Every structure is written in structure tokens, then in C-alpha cells.
Amino acid sequence: MKSILSELYEGKIFPAEQYSPRSEEYRKIYQEHYQHYDDFIETLSKVNPPLDKKFIEIMDEQLDVIPYEFSEMFIDGFRLGARIMIDIFQGDLGIREHEPSAK
């Protein structure tokens, strides 16, 4: 079995594509928001002149930024996890390990 770092380096693990929220609450909210989006697109298509295509274009521009946000969130989270591991391995938890605890 290869190490996680090897699989990450070889492109077998790609966190941005593998991430998917699993909570039922997320799915419910997503469906509601998507329905609002669809309803709004339909309303815009009936306006004279139709604005639905322009709105979709603007939304696509906004959505193009999301992968960058996910990337930065992943990197920041990974760094935080690494800092936590460093603290654990250094044994510097802000407590005295060999002194009896105060009662």
C-alpha cells in the first residue's frame, strides 16, 4: 500500500474533486437554493429584453472563483493540522506533564 503522500503526489488523490458535502441539511439547503435559481432564471427569460443568459454568464463568473477558495481553505486546513501535529510531537501543550495537577 502506497503512502498518502505518494498517492497525492502521483495525482491519485485530488481533494478538490473528491470533496462532497454529505449532510442532509446541506442537501436540503442546496435543493432549495437551486430551485430559487431556476425560478429566477425563468422569470428573467420572460423580461423584455430577456436577461436570463446575461445572469447565467454573471453567475458563471462568480462560480469560477470557488475552486480557488476551496484550494486555499484546504491548504489552510492542512497547515493547521500540521501545526497541531508539530505541537503534539514537541510535547508543548502548555501543561506541565511531570507536575501533579492542582486539585
Coordinates of all heavy atoms in Angstrom, one line a residue, residues 11-91:
G11 N -1.1 12.1 -8.1 CA -2.4 12.6 -8.6 C -3.5 11.6 -8.4 O -4.6 11.8 -9.0
K12 N -3.3 10.6 -7.6 CA -4.4 9.6 -7.3 C -5.4 10.1 -6.3 O -6.5 9.7 -6.2 CB -3.8 8.3 -6.9 CG -3.0 7.6 -8.0 CD -2.3 6.4 -7.5 CE -1.5 5.8 -8.7 NZ -0.7 4.7 -8.2
I13 N -4.9 11.1 -5.5 CA -5.8 11.8 -4.5 C -5.9 13.2 -5.0 O -4.9 13.9 -5.1 CB -5.2 11.7 -3.1 CG1 -5.1 10.2 -2.6 CG2 -6.0 12.5 -2.1 CD1 -4.4 10.1 -1.3
F14 N -7.1 13.7 -5.2 CA -7.3 15.0 -5.6 C -8.5 15.6 -4.8 O -9.6 15.5 -5.2 CB -7.7 15.1 -7.1 CG -7.6 16.4 -7.7 CD1 -6.4 17.1 -7.9 CD2 -8.8 17.0 -8.1 CE1 -6.4 18.4 -8.4 CE2 -8.8 18.3 -8.7 CZ -7.6 19.0 -8.8
P15 N -8.1 16.2 -3.6 CA -9.1 16.6 -2.7 C -10.3 17.4 -3.2 O -11.4 17.3 -2.8 CB -8.3 17.3 -1.6 CG -7.0 16.7 -1.7 CD -6.8 16.4 -3.2
A16 N -9.9 18.4 -4.1 CA -11.0 19.3 -4.6 C -12.1 18.6 -5.4 O -13.2 18.9 -5.3 CB -10.3 20.4 -5.5
E17 N -11.7 17.5 -6.1 CA -12.7 16.8 -6.9 C -13.4 15.7 -6.0 O -14.5 15.3 -6.3 CB -12.1 16.1 -8.1 CG -11.7 17.1 -9.2 CD -11.2 16.4 -10.4 OE1 -11.0 15.2 -10.4 OE2 -10.9 17.1 -11.4
Q18 N -12.7 15.3 -4.9 CA -13.3 14.2 -4.1 C -14.2 14.7 -3.0 O -15.0 14.0 -2.4 CB -12.2 13.4 -3.5 CG -11.4 12.6 -4.5 CD -10.2 12.0 -4.0 OE1 -9.7 12.4 -3.0 NE2 -9.7 10.9 -4.7
Y19 N -14.2 16.0 -2.8 CA -15.0 16.6 -1.7 C -16.4 16.7 -2.1 O -16.7 17.2 -3.2 CB -14.4 18.0 -1.3 CG -15.3 18.6 -0.3 CD1 -15.3 18.2 1.0 CD2 -16.2 19.7 -0.6 CE1 -16.1 18.8 2.0 CE2 -17.0 20.2 0.3 CZ -16.9 19.8 1.6 OH -17.7 20.4 2.6
S20 N -17.3 16.3 -1.2 CA -18.7 16.5 -1.5 C -19.4 16.5 -0.1 O -19.3 15.6 0.7 CB -19.2 15.3 -2.3 OG -20.6 15.4 -2.4
P21 N -20.1 17.6 0.2 CA -20.8 17.7 1.5 C -21.8 16.5 1.6 O -22.4 16.1 0.6 CB -21.5 19.0 1.4 CG -20.8 19.8 0.4 CD -20.3 18.8 -0.6
R22 N -21.8 15.9 2.8 CA -22.7 14.7 2.9 C -23.9 14.9 3.8 O -24.7 14.0 3.9 CB -21.8 13.6 3.5 CG -20.7 13.1 2.6 CD -19.9 12.0 3.2 NE -18.9 11.6 2.3 CZ -17.6 11.9 2.5 NH1 -17.2 12.5 3.5 NH2 -16.7 11.5 1.6
S23 N -24.0 16.0 4.5 CA -25.1 16.2 5.4 C -26.4 16.4 4.7 O -26.5 17.0 3.6 CB -24.8 17.4 6.4 OG -25.0 18.6 5.7
E24 N -27.4 15.9 5.3 CA -28.8 16.0 4.8 C -29.2 17.5 4.8 O -29.9 17.9 3.9 CB -29.8 15.2 5.6 CG -31.1 15.1 5.1 CD -31.2 14.5 3.6 OE1 -30.4 13.6 3.3 OE2 -32.0 15.0 2.8
E25 N -28.7 18.2 5.8 CA -29.1 19.6 5.9 C -28.5 20.4 4.7 O -29.2 21.2 4.1 CB -28.5 20.2 7.2 CG -28.8 21.7 7.4 CD -28.2 22.3 8.6 OE1 -27.5 21.6 9.4 OE2 -28.4 23.5 8.9
Y26 N -27.3 20.1 4.3 CA -26.7 20.7 3.1 C -27.5 20.4 1.9 O -27.8 21.3 1.1 CB -25.2 20.2 2.9 CG -24.6 20.7 1.6 CD1 -24.1 22.0 1.5 CD2 -24.7 19.9 0.5 CE1 -23.6 22.4 0.3 CE2 -24.2 20.3 -0.7 CZ -23.6 21.6 -0.8 OH -23.2 22.0 -2.0
R27 N -27.8 19.1 1.7 CA -28.6 18.7 0.5 C -29.9 19.5 0.4 O -30.3 19.9 -0.6 CB -28.8 17.2 0.5 CG -27.6 16.5 0.1 CD -27.9 15.0 -0.1 NE -26.6 14.3 0.1 CZ -26.4 13.3 0.9 NH1 -27.4 12.9 1.6 NH2 -25.3 12.8 1.1
K28 N -30.6 19.6 1.6 CA -31.9 20.3 1.6 C -31.7 21.8 1.2 O -32.4 22.3 0.4 CB -32.5 20.2 3.0 CG -33.8 20.9 3.1 CD -34.4 20.7 4.5 CE -35.6 21.5 4.7 NZ -36.1 21.6 6.0
I29 N -30.7 22.4 1.8 CA -30.5 23.9 1.5 C -30.1 24.0 0.1 O -30.6 24.9 -0.6 CB -29.4 24.4 2.5 CG1 -29.9 24.5 3.9 CG2 -28.9 25.8 2.0 CD1 -28.9 24.8 4.9
Y30 N -29.2 23.1 -0.4 CA -28.8 23.2 -1.8 C -30.0 23.1 -2.8 O -30.1 23.9 -3.7 CB -27.7 22.1 -2.1 CG -27.3 22.1 -3.5 CD1 -26.3 23.0 -4.0 CD2 -27.9 21.3 -4.5 CE1 -25.9 23.0 -5.3 CE2 -27.4 21.3 -5.8 CZ -26.4 22.2 -6.2 OH -26.1 22.2 -7.5
Q31 N -30.8 22.1 -2.5 CA -32.0 22.0 -3.4 C -32.9 23.2 -3.4 O -33.4 23.6 -4.4 CB -32.8 20.7 -3.0 CG -32.1 19.4 -3.3 CD -32.8 18.2 -2.8 OE1 -33.6 18.3 -1.9 NE2 -32.3 17.0 -3.2
E32 N -33.1 23.8 -2.2 CA -34.0 25.0 -2.1 C -33.3 26.1 -2.9 O -34.0 26.8 -3.6 CB -34.1 25.4 -0.6 CG -35.0 24.5 0.1 CD -35.1 24.8 1.6 OE1 -34.5 25.8 2.0 OE2 -35.7 24.1 2.4
H33 N -32.0 26.3 -2.7 CA -31.4 27.4 -3.4 C -31.3 27.2 -4.9 O -31.5 28.1 -5.7 CB -29.9 27.6 -2.9 CG -29.9 28.1 -1.5 ND1 -28.7 28.5 -0.9 CD2 -30.9 28.4 -0.6 CE1 -29.0 28.9 0.4 NE2 -30.3 28.9 0.5
Y34 N -31.1 26.0 -5.3 CA -31.1 25.7 -6.7 C -32.5 25.9 -7.4 O -32.6 26.4 -8.5 CB -30.7 24.2 -7.0 CG -30.3 24.0 -8.5 CD1 -29.1 24.5 -8.9 CD2 -31.2 23.5 -9.4 CE1 -28.7 24.3 -10.2 CE2 -30.8 23.3 -10.7 CZ -29.6 23.7 -11.1 OH -29.3 23.6 -12.4
Q35 N -33.6 25.6 -6.6 CA -34.9 25.9 -7.1 C -35.2 27.4 -7.2 O -35.7 27.8 -8.2 CB -36.0 25.2 -6.2 CG -37.4 25.3 -6.7 CD -37.5 24.6 -8.1 OE1 -37.2 23.5 -8.2 NE2 -38.1 25.3 -9.0
H36 N -34.7 28.2 -6.3 CA -34.8 29.6 -6.4 C -34.0 30.1 -7.6 O -34.5 31.0 -8.3 CB -34.2 30.3 -5.1 CG -35.0 30.0 -3.9 ND1 -34.4 30.1 -2.6 CD2 -36.2 29.6 -3.7 CE1 -35.3 29.8 -1.7 NE2 -36.4 29.4 -2.3
Y37 N -32.9 29.6 -7.9 CA -32.1 29.9 -9.0 C -32.9 29.6 -10.3 O -33.0 30.5 -11.2 CB -30.8 29.2 -9.0 CG -29.9 29.4 -10.2 CD1 -29.0 30.5 -10.3 CD2 -29.9 28.4 -11.2 CE1 -28.2 30.6 -11.4 CE2 -29.0 28.6 -12.3 CZ -28.2 29.7 -12.4 OH -27.4 29.9 -13.5
D38 N -33.4 28.4 -10.4 CA -34.2 28.0 -11.6 C -35.4 29.0 -11.8 O -35.7 29.4 -12.9 CB -34.6 26.6 -11.5 CG -33.6 25.6 -11.9 OD1 -32.6 26.0 -12.5 OD2 -33.8 24.4 -11.7
D39 N -36.1 29.2 -10.7 CA -37.3 30.1 -10.8 C -36.9 31.5 -11.3 O -37.6 32.1 -12.1 CB -38.0 30.2 -9.4 CG -38.6 28.9 -9.0 OD1 -38.7 28.0 -9.8 OD2 -38.9 28.8 -7.8
F40 N -35.8 32.0 -10.7 CA -35.3 33.3 -11.1 C -34.9 33.4 -12.6 O -35.2 34.3 -13.3 CB -34.2 33.8 -10.2 CG -33.8 35.2 -10.4 CD1 -34.7 36.2 -10.1 CD2 -32.5 35.6 -10.8 CE1 -34.4 37.6 -10.3 CE2 -32.2 36.9 -11.0 CZ -33.1 37.9 -10.7
I41 N -34.2 32.3 -13.1 CA -33.8 32.3 -14.5 C -35.1 32.3 -15.4 O -35.1 33.0 -16.4 CB -33.0 31.0 -14.8 CG1 -31.7 31.0 -14.1 CG2 -32.8 30.8 -16.3 CD1 -30.7 32.1 -14.5
E42 N -36.1 31.5 -15.0 CA -37.4 31.5 -15.7 C -38.0 32.9 -15.8 O -38.4 33.4 -16.8 CB -38.3 30.5 -15.1 CG -39.6 30.4 -15.9 CD -40.6 29.4 -15.3 OE1 -40.1 28.5 -14.6 OE2 -41.8 29.5 -15.6
T43 N -38.0 33.6 -14.6 CA -38.5 35.0 -14.6 C -37.7 35.9 -15.5 O -38.3 36.7 -16.2 CB -38.5 35.5 -13.1 OG1 -39.3 34.6 -12.3 CG2 -39.0 36.9 -13.1
L44 N -36.4 35.8 -15.5 CA -35.6 36.7 -16.3 C -35.8 36.4 -17.8 O -35.6 37.3 -18.6 CB -34.1 36.5 -15.9 CG -33.7 37.1 -14.6 CD1 -32.2 36.7 -14.3 CD2 -33.9 38.6 -14.6
S45 N -36.1 35.2 -18.1 CA -36.3 34.8 -19.5 C -37.6 35.5 -20.1 O -37.7 35.7 -21.3 CB -36.4 33.3 -19.7 OG -37.5 32.8 -19.2
K46 N -38.5 35.9 -19.2 CA -39.7 36.5 -19.6 C -39.7 38.0 -19.7 O -40.6 38.7 -20.2 CB -40.9 36.1 -18.7 CG -41.1 34.6 -18.7 CD -42.1 34.2 -17.7 CE -42.3 32.7 -17.7 NZ -43.2 32.3 -16.6
V47 N -38.6 38.6 -19.2 CA -38.4 40.1 -19.2 C -38.0 40.5 -20.6 O -37.4 39.7 -21.3 CB -37.3 40.5 -18.2 CG1 -37.0 41.9 -18.3 CG2 -37.7 40.1 -16.8
N48 N -38.4 41.7 -21.0 CA -38.1 42.2 -22.3 C -37.1 43.3 -22.2 O -37.4 44.3 -21.6 CB -39.4 42.6 -23.0 CG -39.2 42.9 -24.5 OD1 -38.1 42.5 -25.0 ND2 -40.2 43.4 -25.1
P49 N -35.9 43.2 -22.7 CA -35.3 42.0 -23.4 C -35.0 40.9 -22.3 O -34.7 41.2 -21.2 CB -34.0 42.6 -24.0 CG -33.6 43.7 -23.1 CD -34.9 44.3 -22.6
P50 N -34.9 39.7 -22.8 CA -34.6 38.6 -21.8 C -33.2 38.8 -21.2 O -32.2 39.1 -21.8 CB -34.6 37.3 -22.7 CG -35.2 37.7 -24.0 CD -35.1 39.2 -24.1
L51 N -33.2 38.6 -19.9 CA -31.9 38.8 -19.1 C -31.3 37.5 -18.6 O -30.3 37.5 -17.9 CB -32.2 39.7 -18.0 CG -32.6 41.1 -18.3 CD1 -32.9 41.9 -17.1 CD2 -31.5 41.8 -19.1
D52 N -32.0 36.3 -18.9 CA -31.5 35.1 -18.3 C -30.1 34.7 -18.7 O -29.3 34.3 -17.9 CB -32.5 34.0 -18.7 CG -32.7 33.8 -20.1 OD1 -32.7 34.8 -20.9 OD2 -32.9 32.6 -20.6
K53 N -29.8 34.9 -20.0 CA -28.4 34.5 -20.5 C -27.3 35.4 -19.8 O -26.3 34.9 -19.4 CB -28.4 34.6 -22.0 CG -29.3 33.6 -22.6 CD -28.9 33.1 -23.9 CE -29.9 32.2 -24.6 NZ -30.9 31.5 -23.9
K54 N -27.6 36.7 -19.7 CA -26.6 37.6 -19.0 C -26.5 37.2 -17.6 O -25.3 37.2 -17.0 CB -27.1 39.0 -19.2 CG -26.1 40.0 -18.7 CD -24.8 39.9 -19.4 CE -23.8 41.0 -18.9 NZ -22.5 40.9 -19.5
F55 N -27.6 36.9 -16.9 CA -27.5 36.5 -15.5 C -26.7 35.2 -15.3 O -25.8 35.1 -14.4 CB -28.9 36.3 -14.9 CG -28.9 35.9 -13.5 CD1 -28.5 36.7 -12.5 CD2 -29.2 34.6 -13.1 CE1 -28.5 36.3 -11.1 CE2 -29.2 34.2 -11.8 CZ -28.8 35.0 -10.8
I56 N -26.9 34.2 -16.2 CA -26.2 33.0 -16.1 C -24.7 33.2 -16.4 O -23.8 32.7 -15.7 CB -26.7 32.0 -17.2 CG1 -28.1 31.5 -16.7 CG2 -25.8 30.8 -17.3 CD1 -28.9 30.7 -17.8
E57 N -24.4 34.1 -17.3 CA -23.0 34.5 -17.5 C -22.3 35.1 -16.3 O -21.2 34.7 -15.9 CB -22.9 35.5 -18.7 CG -21.5 35.9 -19.1 CD -21.6 36.9 -20.2 OE1 -22.4 36.7 -21.2 OE2 -20.8 37.9 -20.1
I58 N -23.0 36.0 -15.6 CA -22.5 36.6 -14.4 C -22.3 35.6 -13.3 O -21.3 35.6 -12.6 CB -23.5 37.8 -14.0 CG1 -23.4 38.9 -15.0 CG2 -23.1 38.3 -12.6 CD1 -24.5 40.0 -14.8
M59 N -23.3 34.7 -13.1 CA -23.2 33.7 -12.1 C -22.0 32.7 -12.4 O -21.3 32.3 -11.5 CB -24.5 32.9 -12.0 CG -25.7 33.7 -11.4 SD -25.3 34.3 -9.7 CE -25.1 32.8 -8.8
D60 N -21.8 32.4 -13.7 CA -20.7 31.5 -14.0 C -19.4 32.2 -13.7 O -18.5 31.5 -13.2 CB -20.7 31.2 -15.5 CG -21.8 30.1 -15.8 OD1 -22.4 29.5 -14.9 OD2 -22.1 30.0 -17.0
E61 N -19.3 33.5 -13.9 CA -18.1 34.2 -13.5 C -17.8 34.1 -12.0 O -16.7 33.9 -11.5 CB -18.2 35.7 -13.9 CG -18.1 35.9 -15.3 CD -18.4 37.4 -15.7 OE1 -18.8 38.2 -14.8 OE2 -18.2 37.7 -16.9
Q62 N -18.9 34.2 -11.2 CA -18.8 34.1 -9.8 C -18.4 32.7 -9.4 O -17.6 32.5 -8.5 CB -20.1 34.5 -9.1 CG -20.5 35.9 -9.3 CD -19.6 36.8 -8.6 OE1 -19.2 36.6 -7.4 NE2 -19.1 37.9 -9.3
L63 N -19.0 31.7 -10.0 CA -18.7 30.3 -9.7 C -17.3 29.9 -10.1 O -16.7 28.9 -9.5 CB -19.7 29.4 -10.3 CG -21.2 29.6 -9.8 CD1 -22.1 28.7 -10.6 CD2 -21.3 29.2 -8.3
D64 N -16.7 30.6 -11.0 CA -15.3 30.2 -11.4 C -14.3 30.5 -10.3 O -13.2 29.9 -10.3 CB -14.9 31.1 -12.7 CG -15.6 30.6 -13.9 OD1 -16.1 29.4 -14.0 OD2 -15.6 31.3 -14.9
V65 N -14.7 31.3 -9.3 CA -13.8 31.6 -8.2 C -13.8 30.5 -7.2 O -12.8 30.4 -6.4 CB -14.2 33.0 -7.6 CG1 -13.3 33.3 -6.4 CG2 -14.1 34.1 -8.7
I66 N -14.8 29.8 -7.1 CA -15.0 28.8 -6.0 C -13.8 27.8 -5.9 O -13.3 27.5 -4.8 CB -16.3 28.1 -6.1 CG1 -17.4 29.1 -5.7 CG2 -16.4 26.9 -5.2 CD1 -18.8 28.6 -5.9
P67 N -13.3 27.2 -7.0 CA -12.2 26.3 -6.8 C -11.0 26.9 -6.2 O -10.3 26.3 -5.4 CB -11.8 25.9 -8.3 CG -13.1 26.1 -9.0 CD -13.8 27.3 -8.4
Y68 N -10.7 28.2 -6.4 CA -9.6 28.9 -5.7 C -9.9 29.0 -4.2 O -9.0 28.8 -3.4 CB -9.4 30.3 -6.3 CG -9.0 30.2 -7.8 CD1 -9.9 30.5 -8.8 CD2 -7.7 29.9 -8.1 CE1 -9.5 30.5 -10.1 CE2 -7.3 29.8 -9.5 CZ -8.2 30.1 -10.5 OH -7.9 30.0 -11.8
E69 N -11.1 29.3 -3.9 CA -11.5 29.4 -2.4 C -11.3 28.0 -1.8 O -10.8 27.9 -0.7 CB -12.9 29.8 -2.3 CG -13.1 31.3 -2.7 CD -14.6 31.7 -2.7 OE1 -15.5 30.9 -2.3 OE2 -14.9 32.8 -3.1
F70 N -11.8 26.9 -2.4 CA -11.6 25.6 -1.9 C -10.2 25.2 -1.7 O -9.8 24.6 -0.7 CB -12.3 24.5 -2.7 CG -13.8 24.5 -2.6 CD1 -14.6 23.9 -3.5 CD2 -14.5 25.1 -1.5 CE1 -16.0 23.8 -3.4 CE2 -15.8 25.0 -1.3 CZ -16.6 24.4 -2.3
S71 N -9.4 25.6 -2.7 CA -7.9 25.3 -2.7 C -7.3 26.0 -1.5 O -6.5 25.3 -0.7 CB -7.3 25.8 -3.9 OG -5.9 25.6 -3.9
E72 N -7.6 27.2 -1.3 CA -7.0 28.0 -0.2 C -7.5 27.4 1.2 O -6.7 27.3 2.1 CB -7.2 29.5 -0.3 CG -6.4 30.1 -1.4 CD -6.6 31.6 -1.5 OE1 -6.9 32.2 -0.5 OE2 -6.3 32.1 -2.6
M73 N -8.8 27.1 1.3 CA -9.3 26.5 2.5 C -8.6 25.2 2.8 O -8.3 24.9 4.0 CB -10.8 26.3 2.4 CG -11.6 27.6 2.5 SD -13.4 27.5 2.5 CE -13.8 26.1 1.5
F74 N -8.4 24.3 1.8 CA -7.8 23.0 2.0 C -6.4 23.3 2.5 O -5.9 22.6 3.5 CB -7.8 22.2 0.7 CG -7.0 21.0 0.8 CD1 -7.5 19.9 1.4 CD2 -5.7 20.9 0.3 CE1 -6.7 18.7 1.5 CE2 -4.9 19.8 0.4 CZ -5.4 18.7 1.0
I75 N -5.6 24.1 1.8 CA -4.2 24.4 2.2 C -4.1 24.9 3.6 O -3.3 24.5 4.4 CB -3.6 25.3 1.2 CG1 -3.4 24.6 -0.1 CG2 -2.2 25.9 1.7 CD1 -3.0 25.5 -1.3
D76 N -5.0 25.9 4.0 CA -5.0 26.4 5.3 C -5.4 25.4 6.4 O -4.8 25.3 7.4 CB -6.0 27.6 5.4 CG -5.5 28.9 4.7 OD1 -4.3 28.9 4.3 OD2 -6.3 29.8 4.5
G77 N -6.3 24.5 6.0 CA -6.7 23.5 7.0 C -5.6 22.4 7.1 O -5.3 22.0 8.2
F78 N -4.9 22.1 6.0 CA -3.8 21.2 6.1 C -2.7 21.8 6.9 O -2.1 21.1 7.8 CB -3.3 20.9 4.7 CG -2.3 19.8 4.6 CD1 -2.8 18.5 4.4 CD2 -1.0 19.9 4.8 CE1 -1.9 17.4 4.3 CE2 -0.1 18.9 4.7 CZ -0.6 17.6 4.5
R79 N -2.4 23.1 6.8 CA -1.3 23.7 7.6 C -1.7 23.7 9.1 O -0.8 23.5 9.9 CB -1.1 25.2 7.1 CG -0.4 25.3 5.8 CD -0.2 26.7 5.4 NE 0.6 26.7 4.1 CZ 0.5 27.7 3.2 NH1 -0.4 28.7 3.4 NH2 1.2 27.7 2.2
L80 N -3.0 24.0 9.3 CA -3.4 24.0 10.7 C -3.2 22.6 11.3 O -2.7 22.4 12.4 CB -4.9 24.4 10.8 CG -5.5 24.3 12.2 CD1 -4.8 25.2 13.2 CD2 -7.0 24.6 12.2
G81 N -3.6 21.6 10.6 CA -3.4 20.2 11.0 C -1.9 19.9 11.3 O -1.6 19.2 12.2
A82 N -1.1 20.3 10.4 CA 0.4 20.1 10.5 C 0.9 20.8 11.8 O 1.7 20.3 12.5 CB 1.1 20.6 9.3
R83 N 0.4 22.1 12.0 CA 0.8 22.8 13.2 C 0.4 22.0 14.5 O 1.1 22.0 15.5 CB 0.3 24.2 13.2 CG 1.1 25.1 12.2 CD 0.8 26.6 12.4 NE -0.6 27.0 12.4 CZ -1.2 27.4 11.4 NH1 -0.7 27.5 10.2 NH2 -2.5 27.8 11.5
I84 N -0.8 21.5 14.4 CA -1.3 20.7 15.6 C -0.4 19.5 15.8 O 0.0 19.2 16.9 CB -2.8 20.3 15.3 CG1 -3.7 21.5 15.4 CG2 -3.2 19.2 16.4 CD1 -5.1 21.2 14.9
M85 N 0.0 18.8 14.7 CA 0.8 17.6 14.9 C 2.2 18.0 15.4 O 2.8 17.3 16.2 CB 1.0 16.9 13.5 CG -0.3 16.3 13.0 SD -1.1 15.2 14.2 CE 0.0 13.9 14.2
I86 N 2.7 19.2 15.0 CA 4.0 19.6 15.5 C 3.9 19.9 17.0 O 4.8 19.4 17.7 CB 4.5 20.9 14.7 CG1 4.9 20.6 13.3 CG2 5.6 21.6 15.5 CD1 5.1 21.8 12.4
D87 N 2.9 20.5 17.4 CA 2.7 20.8 18.8 C 2.6 19.5 19.6 O 3.2 19.3 20.7 CB 1.4 21.6 19.1 CG 1.5 23.0 18.9 OD1 2.7 23.5 18.6 OD2 0.5 23.8 18.9
I88 N 1.9 18.5 19.1 CA 1.8 17.2 19.7 C 3.1 16.5 19.8 O 3.5 16.0 20.9 CB 0.7 16.3 19.0 CG1 -0.7 16.9 19.2 CG2 0.8 14.9 19.5 CD1 -1.7 16.2 18.3
F89 N 3.9 16.5 18.8 CA 5.1 15.8 18.8 C 6.2 16.5 19.6 O 7.1 15.9 20.1 CB 5.7 15.5 17.3 CG 4.9 14.4 16.6 CD1 4.3 14.7 15.4 CD2 4.8 13.2 17.2 CE1 3.5 13.7 14.8 CE2 4.1 12.2 16.5 CZ 3.5 12.4 15.3
Q90 N 6.1 17.8 19.7 CA 7.0 18.6 20.5 C 6.7 18.4 22.0 O 7.5 18.7 22.9 CB 7.0 20.0 20.2 CG 7.7 20.3 18.9 CD 7.6 21.8 18.5 OE1 6.8 22.6 19.0 NE2 8.5 22.2 17.7
G91 N 5.5 18.0 22.3 CA 5.0 17.8 23.7 C 4.8 19.1 24.4 O 4.6 19.2 25.6

